[in-house]
Amino acid sequence: MAVSLLSHELSDLCLGKPALRSLSITSTIAEALEVLKTSDDNFVSIWNCDDDECCSRCVGKVCIVDVICYLCKDENLVSPSIALKQPVSVLLPKIPGLIIHVEPSCSLLEAIDLILEGAQNLVVPIKTKVFNNKRSKQQQKPFCWLTQEDIIRFLLSFIGLFSPISSFSIDTLNIISPNTLTIEYHSPASAAIGAISRALVEQTSVAVVDSERTLIGEISPFTLACCDETVAAALKTLSSMDLMAYIDCGGPPEELVKVVSAKLKEKNMNGMLQHFTVSMSCGGFSSSSSSDEEYSSSSMAVQVSPFPRPGRISRSMSYSARMVRRSEAIVCHPKSSLVAVMIQAIAHRVNYVWVIEEDCSLVGIVTFSDMLKVVRESFETMA
């Protein structure tokens, strides 16, 4: 079994993976937004296209959260229509090595090493059948990409090989990181914009805590990715606690919508106010969640990254139609086993699990990257 696992190539993990939806790096943010609103994936790949197809490469990825954080700049809130006309390249993080092109023959071990070096997505060419020897340029070289989640999910099929390490606690394995992104619940949500951008890059989240570091909830890029770009208005005008209620399932309470509108008007952000008003009038919030009673209860809810949209539910549909799942934040305890935490993260489609004590005080976070480090060390004993 160990030999079988080590012999796997990335082509084995690509079976059934869909071809990437792609955009040229010269596309506008508005064009990227349109693709994201009609895509099953939270991300769209950005390509540096060339007349010579062999030189075309994926140079990054963007999601709704990138757009939200970009629109949170004061100058963009004043005139979002102008901001959305900017090239999508302004959204790409200036961090090399997040996207890596690899061959299908790349080994599983090599892939894990690339991820541990900082890669988030491994772009792999996939084979397609040729009919009549005629294919368009896009069809000639379709690609898919593999993520940390894909690697972890695959490894779980061989979890018995990692015994007894897989049954050890995450505390014993020393993979709990105390370096978490946090914000206090009463702080302005705008104070978390930088942390949200960082969490998106690091594939984690921003913990919302009280003064004693009790975990109250989170502002998750995975949740924000299921919203639309007008959440930027809420991010700039609400407290962290109110933002959690705003992006919670069922849609933002009508009372909070009024607060956001009033504050946009107060700050003379007329461009975003108009954009926000149009979005809300098109079903941006659910009347079923507009009562003060529900607002009060939802504002204290612990947020969780929702499961990815089953099938395709367009972001142009009502907010409540898209945000259909709600649960407590994904947490574990220091004595939780490695395999239990892996299964938790995979089951909830997140790249991390918060670690808390019995009193809900925040200890730290465990990420897929932390888990892969343990797995990588285990490979040494299998070779």
Side-chain angles (χ1 to χ4, degrees):
M1 281 290 286
V3 173
S4 173
L5 175 59
L6 291 171
S7 66
H8 278 289
E9 300 177 345
L10 291 193
S11 57
D12 300 323
L13 280 70
C14 292
L15 295 175
K17 295 282 286 185
L20 288 176
R21 293 192 68 175
S22 59
L23 273 180
S24 168
I25 197 170
T26 59
S27 301
T28 65
I29 297 175
E31 290 171 328
L33 199 54
E34 183 61 29
V35 171
L36 287 166
K37 288 181 176 181
T38 57
S39 173
D40 288 323
D41 198 342
N42 281 339
F43 291 90
V44 60
S45 60
I46 306 301
W47 291 71
N48 187 5
C49 300
D50 195 283
D51 290 337
D52 180 0
E53 186 194 352
C54 294
C55 297
S56 298
R57 296 185 69 81
C58 180
V59 295
K61 60 179 181 178
V62 297
C63 72
I64 290 285
V65 186
D66 293 301
V67 180
I68 291 171
C69 291
Y70 181 70
L71 289 178
C72 280
K73 296 180 179 180
D74 289 341
E75 63 271 23
N76 295 335
L77 284 170
V78 172
S79 184
S81 60
I82 294 177
L84 294 176
K85 292 178 182 177
Q86 297 302 305
V88 72
S89 57
V90 303
L91 302 180
L92 299 179
K94 305 298 187 291
I95 303 175
L98 294 180
I99 307 291
I100 300 290
H101 279 252
V102 295
E103 293 300 321
S105 58
C106 176
S107 72
L108 178 61
L109 202 58
E110 291 170 330
I112 292 175
D113 286 340
L114 288 172
I115 288 174
L116 292 179
E117 289 169 6
Q120 288 186 358
N121 296 74
L122 304 179
V123 180
V124 188
I126 54 179
K127 298 179 181 180
T128 57
K129 294 182 179 179
V130 181
F131 298 98
N132 299 325
N133 293 320
K134 293 182 180 180
R135 292 185 297 187
S136 69
K137 184 174 287 188
Q138 285 187 335
Q139 290 174 318
Q140 286 178 354
K141 265 197 169 183
F143 292 83
C144 68
W145 61 22
L146 296 173
T147 64
Q148 294 181 11
E149 179 187 341
D150 293 317
I151 302 295
I152 291 288
R153 187 180 297 276
F154 183 78
L155 290 172
L156 273 174
S157 301
F158 299 86
I159 196 64
L161 295 177
F162 301 100
S163 181
I165 291 177
S166 59
S167 62
F168 289 174
S169 72
I170 54 176
D171 187 24
T172 300
L173 294 171
N174 196 30
I175 59 173
I176 304 172
S177 173
N179 301 319
T180 57
L181 299 170
T182 61
I183 187 169
E184 291 200 8
Y185 71 94
H186 56 73
S187 299
S190 58
I193 294 173
I196 292 170
S197 295
R198 181 177 165 187
L200 179 62
V201 172
E202 296 178 354
Q203 301 182 94
T204 58
S205 184
V206 181
V208 179
V209 299
D210 65 13
S211 58
E212 297 180 349
R213 279 185 64 84
T214 299
L215 181 63
I216 295 174
E218 66 174 6
I219 301 173
S220 166
F222 295 90
T223 302
L224 291 171
C226 293
C227 303
D228 66 30
E229 72 280 7
T230 60
V231 169
L235 193 50
K236 286 290 286 187
T237 56
L238 299 177
S239 69
S240 296
M241 179 65 81
D242 284 344
L243 179 66
M244 289 196 297
Y246 187 95
I247 64 177
D248 195 10
C249 65
E254 186 173 0
E255 184 64 29
L256 285 181
V257 172
K258 292 178 180 178
V259 170
V260 172
S261 295
K263 290 189 176 181
L264 288 174
K265 186 176 182 179
E266 178 184 321
K267 296 181 179 182
N268 293 318
M269 296 179 176
N270 297 324
M272 178 54 80
L273 176 60
Q274 181 180 2
H275 196 66
F276 180 78
T277 302
V278 170
S279 175
M280 292 299 106
S281 66
C282 292
F285 64 88
S286 169
S287 60
S288 65
S289 65
S290 61
S291 70
D292 291 339
E293 179 180 355
E294 183 159 344
Y295 160 56
S296 176
S297 62
S298 64
S299 66
M300 293 300 292
V302 176
Q303 302 298 300
V304 62
S305 304
F307 287 72
R309 297 174 295 282
R312 180 60 227 158
I313 302 176
S314 173
R315 286 183 174 84
S316 63
M317 298 177 64
S318 71
Y319 198 110
S320 58
R322 291 186 280 105
M323 300 290 287
V324 294
R325 295 195 65 92
R326 176 178 176 183
S327 179
E328 294 184 352
I330 310 306
V331 298
C332 66
H333 299 282
K335 298 305 178 183
S336 298
S337 68
L338 174 63
V339 64
V341 176
M342 291 173 73
I343 292 172
Q344 268 188 292
I346 287 292
H348 293 279
R349 303 300 299 275
V350 292
N351 287 44
Y352 61 91
V353 178
W354 297 110
V355 185
I356 61 172
E357 296 287 6
E358 294 297 332
D359 62 357
C360 291
S361 60
L362 182 62
V363 176
I365 193 170
V366 175
T367 66
F368 277 158
S369 182
D370 298 319
M371 301 175 202
L372 285 173
K373 288 177 184 176
V374 174
V375 171
R376 181 63 180 86
E377 294 171 358
S378 298
F379 271 119
E380 299 296 337
T381 63
M382 297 181 188

